Amino acid sequence: MQTALQQPIQQSPFKRYGLIFGFLALLGIIALPTPEGLPVAGQRMIGILIFSVIVWMTDSISYPVSAAVIMSLMAVLLGLSPDIANPKVLMGTSKALGIALGGFSNTAFALVAGALFLAAAMTQTGLDKRIALFVLSKIGAKTNRVLIGVIVVGFILSFFVPSTTARVSCMVPIVMGIIMAFGVELKSRFAAVMMIATAQADSLWNVGIKTAAAQNMIAVGFIKSQLGIDITWMDWFIAAAPFSAIMSVVLYYVLMKLMPPEKDEIAGGKEAVHRLLTEMGPMSFNEKKLLFISCTLLFLWATEKILHDFDTSTTTIVAIAIMFLPGIGVMDWKQAAPRINWGTIILFGVGISLGSALLSTKAAAWLAKIIVSAFGIQTMPALIILAILAAFLIIIHMGFASATALAAAMIPIIISILQSVKTPGINIVGLTMILQYVVSFGFILPVNAPQNMIAYGTETFEVRDFIRTGIPLTIIAYGLILLLGATYWKWLGLV
């Protein structure tokens, strides 16, 4: 199945020669005369950024390998560039390598790494599966209620499993088991709707919950480091949850309208879910401990700056440490290590380093001036700026297979663009946070997000099915961004 998914991409000349195109673009940018107002290091960082975007968009090398290449390029090219503070001397490879590794000391990086361990614990104990089956067991066998159940499970798991890929990986075998137990065909509309909903519901709640996705941590990290504002879990939830809740309802109606299941009710459906839940047996002691730890952690996230001053990253790391303690914890290192996506961790750290270097070398500010001038947004109203930049991010996301990579490349530039705007009263932090929501809009193509590809790998739907439902979902989501920008978010002072 994996070969079948990869075959069309392997035949693409863009994939085959993407690495070469990337290096040629990098060399071309380095060879150009350095523009006025842009340091040599900044020019080289723009070249590295373009190289990164090309290899990420063409998928010519894996994300972990691309991370190693990007780190190497930063260490060498920045090391041989004049120092930003003292242009009379070279920066040196030691200092440049420190910049390339800087993302790994970021608190946002610690949170993402910790979140992946929490997701691994959910998988190890089976608690995520139990939560999903418990919710589905309460909904009945009507196809529309099963769809509602799948969306609700995506919502609930977003609180407890801070990894989109892990949540969808948990849900896919459960939904496949339901499809098989119901006795419907793999290529039926019922199967397609349930699997598309599994991916899309999780993408929607990536927006609503700060800890649900790694790309949110990138944005929060840059906002904190560049703008000096720390967005708490509850601040994010109050602002973003209404969007995700409304879009979850929209998702239900879009799928039911465009791909109505063949039957209104499937005989034996509820019994099938009950059987799957019964097969799990009673809740284990480790599951109970993990549920307690997860609920405590969720409480600490939600009450940050309200009942205590412990930041989200610190509480998560403490929870992970407790999960590994002998007698108290729920797993050991040997159980956790194979379940961790180390490639995501490496990419995330390098992504933060890339964005931070774009800012520190003044490359992001220089690019921002170019973009502000090109779009003429310097004195535009905040809502128009939001409309233009959101549309830009939606279009460019079509070429990305990772929202984490997209956030790493674009959020530093977005911050610099907003800092260049002269519109009175513009809220840079609020607009950056809202535009980060748009970064999670991987609704149109299966290749736009790992969770989409996991669902697509079940062969329950065609690419055209995903596009047919994804385009209206994206259009409505874009419209809702503007509507909330003109009303709810404006009332909150974010726009």
Side-chain angles (χ1 to χ4, degrees), residues 98-120:
I99 294 173
L101 294 171
F104 293 90
S105 62
N106 190 286
T107 56
F109 172 79
L111 176 57
V112 169
L116 291 178
F117 278 98
L118 185 61

Side-chain angles (χ1 to χ4, degrees), residues 43-318:
Q43 181 181 12
R44 293 181 177 181
M45 275 309 306
I46 291 174
I48 294 171
L49 172 66
I50 299 301
F51 167 84
S52 305
V53 169
I54 291 174
V55 297
W56 286 339
M57 292 180 72
T58 59
D59 196 28
S60 54
I61 52 178
S62 68
Y63 284 114
V65 174
S66 75
V69 175
I70 292 166
M71 276 195 295
S72 301
L73 290 173
M74 289 176 65
V76 174
L77 294 180
L78 292 183
L80 298 177
S81 302
D83 192 277
I84 300 296
N86 184 10
K88 293 182 179 181
V89 299
L90 295 180
M91 185 180 296
T93 54
S94 177
K95 182 176 180 180
L97 182 58
I99 294 173
L101 294 171
F104 293 90
S105 62
N106 190 286
T107 56
F109 172 79
L111 176 57
V112 169
L116 291 178
F117 278 98
L118 185 61
M122 286 282 178
T123 305
Q124 167 66 24
T125 61
L127 180 59
D128 53 355
K129 183 178 179 180
R130 187 179 297 278
I131 292 172
L133 286 172
F134 175 79
V135 173
L136 290 172
S137 70
K138 303 298 180 182
I139 60 174
K142 287 185 178 293
T143 52
N144 67 321
R145 296 188 68 180
V146 176
L147 176 57
I148 292 172
V150 168
I151 295 172
V152 170
V153 168
F155 161 65
I156 293 174
L157 289 181
S158 296
F159 288 95
F160 296 98
V161 186
S163 165
T164 320
T165 306
R167 293 196 302 272
V168 175
S169 297
C170 158
M171 280 297 295
V172 161
I174 294 172
V175 175
M176 283 296 290
I178 293 171
I179 292 168
M180 297 302 181
F182 284 9
V184 297
E185 294 181 8
L186 201 61
K187 289 292 185 181
S188 64
R189 287 198 304 272
F190 171 79
V193 163
M194 297 307 151
M195 204 56 69
I196 291 173
T198 298
Q200 300 287 37
D202 278 79
S203 294
L204 288 174
W205 281 100
N206 280 348
V207 174
I209 298 172
K210 172 185 168 181
T211 49
Q215 61 264 24
N216 296 345
M217 297 304 102
I218 282 193
V220 168
F222 283 133
I223 289 171
K224 184 177 181 179
S225 63
Q226 297 303 314
L227 303 176
I229 301 296
D230 189 10
I231 300 172
T232 68
W233 189 95
M234 186 56 74
D235 289 339
W236 186 289
F237 186 75
I238 290 171
F243 171 88
S244 296
I246 294 170
M247 285 305 302
S248 294
V249 176
V250 170
L251 173 63
Y252 169 81
Y253 283 106
V254 165
L255 291 177
M256 290 298 292
K257 179 69 175 178
L258 297 181
M259 299 183 67
E262 293 83 350
K263 298 179 181 179
D264 292 333
E265 186 169 0
I266 299 177
K270 191 170 184 178
E271 290 76 8
V273 175
H274 182 72
R275 177 178 54 79
L276 291 171
L277 190 57
T278 302
E279 287 175 358
M280 291 195 70
M283 197 173 190
S284 68
F285 186 43
N286 276 347
E287 285 181 86
K288 292 176 182 177
K289 287 189 289 185
L290 180 58
L291 182 60
F292 175 78
I293 292 171
S294 299
C295 289
T296 303
L297 187 57
L298 183 59
F299 172 78
L300 292 172
W301 286 344
T303 56
E304 180 188 351
K305 304 297 182 184
I306 300 173
L307 297 181
H308 62 86
D309 290 325
F310 296 108
D311 65 279
T312 309
S313 299
T314 299
T315 52
T316 304
I317 293 299
V318 171

Side-chain angles (χ1 to χ4, degrees), residues 431-464:
L431 285 176
T432 303
M433 186 165 68
I434 294 169
L435 288 166
Q436 170 56 35
Y437 304 161
V438 182
V439 168
S440 293
F441 283 19
F443 304 139
I444 297 177
L445 295 172
V447 295
N448 285 157
Q451 62 267 25
N452 298 351
M453 291 302 292
I454 292 171
Y456 180 59
T458 61
E459 299 181 354
T460 53
F461 61 88
E462 303 295 337
V463 172
R464 64 176 179 271

